[in-house]
Amino acid sequence: MKTLIIAEKPDMGRTIAAVIEPKAANKRTHLVGQNHIITWAIGHLVGLAEPDRYDDKYKKWNLGDLPIIPDSFKLIPNARTKDQLAVIAALAKECDSLVNACDAGREGQLIFAYIQQHLRLRHPVKRLWISDLTAETIRQGFDSLKDGAAYENLTKAARARSEADWLIGMNGSRAFTTRHNELLSVGRVQTPVLALVYDRQILIEQFTSLKFYDVEAAFDQQQTSYKGMWQGDRLTDPQKAEAIAAKVKGKTGKIASYEVKDTKEYPWRLYDLTLLQREANGKYGFSAKKTLDLAQALYEKHKVISYPRTNSNYVNDQNIGDMHRALDALRGTAYDDLVQGAEKRFVHKNNKSICNPSKVEDHHAILPTAKKAGSLSADEQKVYDLVVRRFLSHFYPAAEYKMHTVLTEVEGETFKTNVKQLLSLGWKVVYPDQKNAAAKGKKADEDAKDKGGKPGDDDKEAVAEIETDTPFSVDPDSPVLCSDAQAKEKETQPPKHFTEGTLLKAMESAGKQVEDDELREAMKDSGLGTPATRAATIERLKNVGYVVMQGKRIAITTKGRLAIELIRGAGVELLASPEMTGQWERRLTDISRGQAADDAFMEKVKKFAALIVDKVRMQSPAAKQAFAAGEQPAKRGRGSRSADGADGEGAGKRAAAAGGRT
């Protein structure tokens, strides 16, 4: 008998068939080869059943019927794709073994597991685990298939994620909706993410801007001119600032201190999905979902990048050769000039900024494949360009600078100057905007924070920052003339509203402000959601009317605002806690690694679902007029109104759209 291969999507199935069964007969819903039959799911063919599948009484939402905690979870086919499920069932009867060729990740594992469970398939299973869809990788993957049992812990984590989302979403949404007579959507991941947006909005509203004054002086020494900022406690008195400026202007001073050190800047980290989404949002204004969709097309349809739903910025030893081959494949393309300047000697297994197997689990960083890109859409080309340039940058040497720190003293007042003198662009030649870094000044350093770089700490003190590609030096023993000095009025600035890019960054670190790369890397397992689900969570908040986009800025609506206030007011703050949800995500990761028990995790989730219901029962109903403002961006003061169901599987018909995978 033959082996039935089940891919996650039709394109993937056909791509696999073209490699292992090139003469397979196309039967529309599957392909039949000599030794294999290749078919596919169409995303989730099977999901968790709605509550009314357990008892008809759950067709009506009633607080008295909660909590709903099934002894075992029922599965139900997706009505829109049930025909394809029937195809798989029929084909399985013709085969004596299965290959799980769904996406190599937690959700791909769940898609296959639910099909297997619902159809009661008892065949032996092998797992195809690959990171790109090139012919060579597919062949290698089939040459090294693993027993399906090797991925049992990942299956347990996937089921636990799905069932936990169902329990929290169903019970939370029904409890808050029935208590307050307004459809309120609650979810294990979406609610803490909404809380991040809410808390940022409150900080902005409560912020009081304060005026302060910087004193900037211009200095001349022989052929060198530079500026410096006055050093001292923050000035809030304009007269004092003006007095300092008048005191030093036109006077001669001295160099109190002059330090010069050589420094290097290394290429930004290779992309994981979240970093790619953040940069595409910052550079092109793409939503997280749009970037994911484009990256998925580059992976599945065009086969020009590796698996995009990764949380790693590194590669394994065996990927080094693939990177060298991908570099060669870029010769003769639009990147040929950059390939000519690239050197393979920089990409090797001992370069820990690239190759770090301890930081690679399911998938390595996003890389271009050895397949040349054909006709890409304009937006696909933009995302592909980001991936290729990041990849190419690692084949170049470090950028080199001289860092000059000058303390100038005039009439007892001290002024500080930092000069960043470019010696060699190195890898920055890959980025056209970096060639003009001298003109951009400090902005290049600020941009690095959102590109996975390691910028310097934000200066608490006022410092004149100068970036130049021309030689700079001062003579510590020669006098300096203060040719001009001015007091400049400034204001403290409120926190910025989230964009999708900065919200993704906050989700990755469970809301904590983390700039250090190593600490951020350590927190990846305890963020909100996963790289594969964060885009869907943000889209969910939009769809239920909790947030709206104002340009690139995310604005919370009155509906979203009241949802958080009611949840916190009920005494279930943990439901809106980014840190707690991050810990849950870490526990799911531990389950997938065999380091934690799924049963123990689910018992805690069930208790928490029951606690939510108990707390809501004791809460006073919200005033009807609280929901009158509609789904408009929240203004100062309290607002509100709300929307839908829950995140988790089994979204289906949950009233006006309670559901969604996050």
Side-chain angles (χ1 to χ4, degrees):
M1 296 182 77
K2 298 181 179 181
T3 295
L4 179 63
I5 299 170
I6 302 176
E8 186 163 324
K9 296 174 184 175
D11 282 352
M12 296 173 67
R14 294 188 181 99
T15 299
I16 290 170
V19 175
I20 65 166
E21 293 280 7
K23 297 181 180 179
N26 189 347
K27 304 293 185 179
R28 193 176 64 82
T29 57
H30 60 284
L31 296 104
V32 180
Q34 184 175 353
N35 299 309
H36 304 86
I37 298 176
I38 303 95
T39 189
W40 41 80
I42 305 171
H44 279 273
L45 298 184
V46 182
L48 296 180
E50 298 286 328
D52 58 31
R53 293 282 176 163
Y54 298 89
D55 194 316
D56 280 346
K57 70 180 181 180
Y58 295 134
K59 288 181 178 178
K60 291 185 177 181
W61 290 24
N62 188 332
L63 188 57
D65 292 333
L66 302 178
I68 307 169
I69 301 179
D71 292 329
S72 61
F73 284 86
K74 295 182 179 181
L75 298 179
I76 187 169
N78 184 330
R80 291 175 296 178
T81 54
K82 62 181 181 181
D83 290 346
Q84 185 63 21
L85 184 65
V87 168
I88 295 175
L91 294 174
K93 294 176 182 178
E94 303 174 21
C95 300
D96 60 359
S97 61
L98 305 175
V99 172
N100 175 4
C102 293
D103 268 4
R106 194 168 74 185
E107 286 308 304
Q109 197 70 14
L110 186 67
I111 287 170
F112 181 87
Y114 277 172
I115 292 171
Q116 187 182 27
Q117 178 185 341
H118 183 72
L119 297 180
R120 296 186 174 89
L121 304 181
R122 299 290 182 262
H123 308 60
V125 177
K126 294 290 186 180
R127 184 58 158 115
L128 176 68
W129 195 273
I130 55 178
S131 288
D132 66 61
L133 290 172
T134 58
E136 182 181 0
T137 299
I138 291 171
R139 288 191 195 95
Q140 291 173 351
F142 273 92
D143 287 342
S144 57
L145 291 173
K146 290 187 179 179
D147 193 272
Y151 297 88
E152 183 58 29
N153 288 327
L154 183 61
T155 303
K156 289 179 179 179
R159 289 182 184 276
R161 194 282 306 160
S162 179
E163 293 170 6
D165 286 355
W166 193 98
L167 288 168
I168 300 303
M170 290 293 184
N171 287 289
S173 297
R174 288 184 175 223
F176 280 100
T177 294
T178 53
R179 188 60 177 159
H180 302 294
N181 199 32
E182 179 75 12
L183 197 56
L184 289 163
S185 178
V186 173
R188 179 184 66 87
V189 177
Q190 77 171 48
T191 301
V193 175
L194 180 61
L196 290 176
V197 181
Y198 174 91
D199 291 340
R200 178 64 59 87
Q201 178 67 27
I202 296 301
L203 284 175
I204 292 169
E205 290 178 5
Q206 293 179 346
F207 182 82
T208 301
S209 182
L210 299 175
K211 285 187 172 64
F212 67 96
Y213 300 85
D214 283 339
V215 180
E216 182 182 75
F219 299 107
D220 295 316
Q221 187 193 67
Q222 300 169 15
Q223 303 302 313
T224 301
S225 297
Y226 63 96
K227 292 183 178 180
M229 301 297 289
W230 180 81
Q231 302 297 289
D233 294 335
R234 175 170 282 180
L235 297 169
T236 56
D237 182 349
Q239 292 182 343
K240 185 174 182 181
E242 292 287 357
I244 294 172
K247 179 181 178 183
V248 300
K249 185 175 180 178
K251 302 296 176 56
T252 298
K254 64 179 182 179
I255 303 296
S257 171
Y258 179 39
E259 296 180 359
V260 182
K261 65 176 182 179
D262 292 325
T263 185
K264 294 182 178 182
E265 290 184 10
Y266 293 92
W268 297 313
R269 290 174 295 156
L270 293 168
Y271 284 121
D272 61 12
L273 177 59
T274 302
L275 193 57
L276 179 63
Q277 289 169 318
R278 280 165 45 192
E279 188 161 338
N281 178 256
K283 189 167 185 177
Y284 300 119
F286 290 172
S287 69
K289 181 181 184 300
K290 180 171 182 175
T291 300
L292 175 56
D293 290 345
L294 292 168
Q296 201 69 22
L298 292 170
Y299 165 65
E300 288 181 9
K301 179 181 176 183
H302 302 289
K303 304 170 186 62
V304 294
I305 68 169
S306 61
Y307 184 75
R309 297 171 184 252
T310 176
N311 71 342
S312 179
N313 304 103
Y314 302 91
V315 302
N316 287 310
D317 293 2
Q318 59 265 34
N319 300 128
I320 297 299
D322 296 334
M323 291 180 72
H324 289 181
R325 284 187 287 275
L327 177 69
D328 291 335
L330 290 169
R331 297 184 189 279
T333 70
Y335 302 99
D336 189 67
D337 287 348
L338 294 174
V339 175
Q340 297 302 325
E343 298 182 60
K344 291 180 180 178
R345 66 187 178 90
F346 291 114
V347 176
H348 55 83
K349 65 181 182 180
N350 294 320
N351 182 343
K352 294 305 179 185
S353 66
I354 301 171
C355 185
N356 194 334
S358 68
K359 294 182 179 180
V360 181
E361 289 197 19
D362 295 343
H363 297 282
H364 56 69
I366 302 172
L367 301 171
T369 67
K371 186 176 186 298
K372 281 185 166 62
S375 55
L376 304 181
S377 71
D379 287 345
E380 287 171 344
Q381 178 60 43
K382 288 175 180 175
V383 173
Y384 181 65
D385 185 71
L386 290 175
V387 173
V388 170
R389 289 182 185 275
R390 183 60 55 92
F391 165 81
L392 286 171
S393 69
H394 285 270
F395 289 89
Y396 279 79
E400 297 181 9
Y401 296 89
K402 275 192 181 298
M403 302 297 294
H404 305 258
T405 303
V406 185
L407 291 180
T408 307
E409 189 175 298
V410 183
E411 296 292 308
E413 305 293 346
T414 301
F415 296 80
K416 187 173 183 179
T417 306
N418 286 341
V419 177
K420 185 177 183 181
Q421 179 191 341
L422 175 67
L423 300 178
S424 172
L425 270 174
W427 61 272
K428 293 190 177 185
V429 300
V430 172
Y431 293 93
D433 58 335
Q434 290 296 314
K435 293 180 181 179
N436 299 318
K440 293 170 67 176
K442 192 181 176 186
K443 188 178 187 304
D445 193 52
E446 291 172 339
D447 286 347
K449 294 178 186 178
D450 225 33
K451 296 175 186 287
K454 290 188 176 181
D457 293 332
D458 291 335
D459 287 322
K460 300 291 190 299
E461 58 188 349
V463 180
E465 300 279 359
I466 302 169
E467 192 162 338
T468 179
D469 56 2
T470 58
F472 176 90
S473 67
V474 293
D475 181 356
D477 300 320
S478 297
V480 178
L481 174 65
C482 178
S483 58
D484 192 17
Q486 296 180 2
K488 296 188 174 182
E489 182 182 291
K490 297 189 176 181
E491 289 186 348
T492 55
Q493 298 298 310
K496 293 181 179 179
H497 286 86
F498 281 117
T499 63
E500 288 204 26
T502 56
L503 183 57
L504 283 167
K505 185 176 180 180
M507 292 171 72
E508 191 176 41
S509 58
K512 294 182 178 178
Q513 296 300 312
V514 180
E515 296 297 349
D516 181 79
D517 278 352
E518 292 300 321
L519 182 55
R520 180 172 291 280
E521 187 71 28
M523 289 191 67
K524 277 193 170 184
D525 293 336
S526 55
L528 301 182
T530 67
T533 62
R534 286 175 188 140
T537 300
I538 296 173
E539 291 302 307
R540 174 77 184 149
L541 294 177
K542 297 176 192 175
N543 293 339
V544 301
Y546 284 166
V547 302
V548 294
M549 299 304 298
Q550 295 181 331
K552 289 170 66 173
R553 191 178 82 177
I554 297 174
I556 192 167
T557 63
T558 50
K559 173 188 291 188
R561 187 164 186 149
L562 186 60
I564 292 299
E565 290 170 354
L566 288 174
I567 289 166
R568 287 175 169 168
V572 282
E573 293 88 347
L574 289 180
L575 183 56
S577 165
E579 187 172 356
M580 175 58 68
T581 304
Q583 290 175 10
W584 281 26
E585 202 63 53
R586 177 181 286 275
R587 187 53 53 91
L588 288 169
T589 301
D590 289 344
I591 293 169
S592 72
R593 295 170 177 167
Q595 297 169 355
D598 55 324
D599 290 345
F601 172 78
M602 289 307 301
E603 282 305 311
K604 290 182 179 179
V605 173
K606 290 173 183 178
K607 289 179 181 178
F608 187 52
L611 174 66
I612 292 170
V613 173
D614 289 341
K615 292 287 189 179
V616 174
R617 278 201 183 100
M618 295 185 288
Q619 190 176 30
S620 299
K624 280 196 173 184
Q625 62 268 28
F627 296 95
E631 297 175 16
Q632 299 300 316
K635 295 182 172 61
R636 279 187 174 272
R638 298 172 70 88
S640 204
R641 191 170 163 191
S642 278
D644 314 20
D647 55 14
E649 296 303 328
K653 59 188 184 233
R654 214 162 306 146
R661 203 172 108 188
T662 49

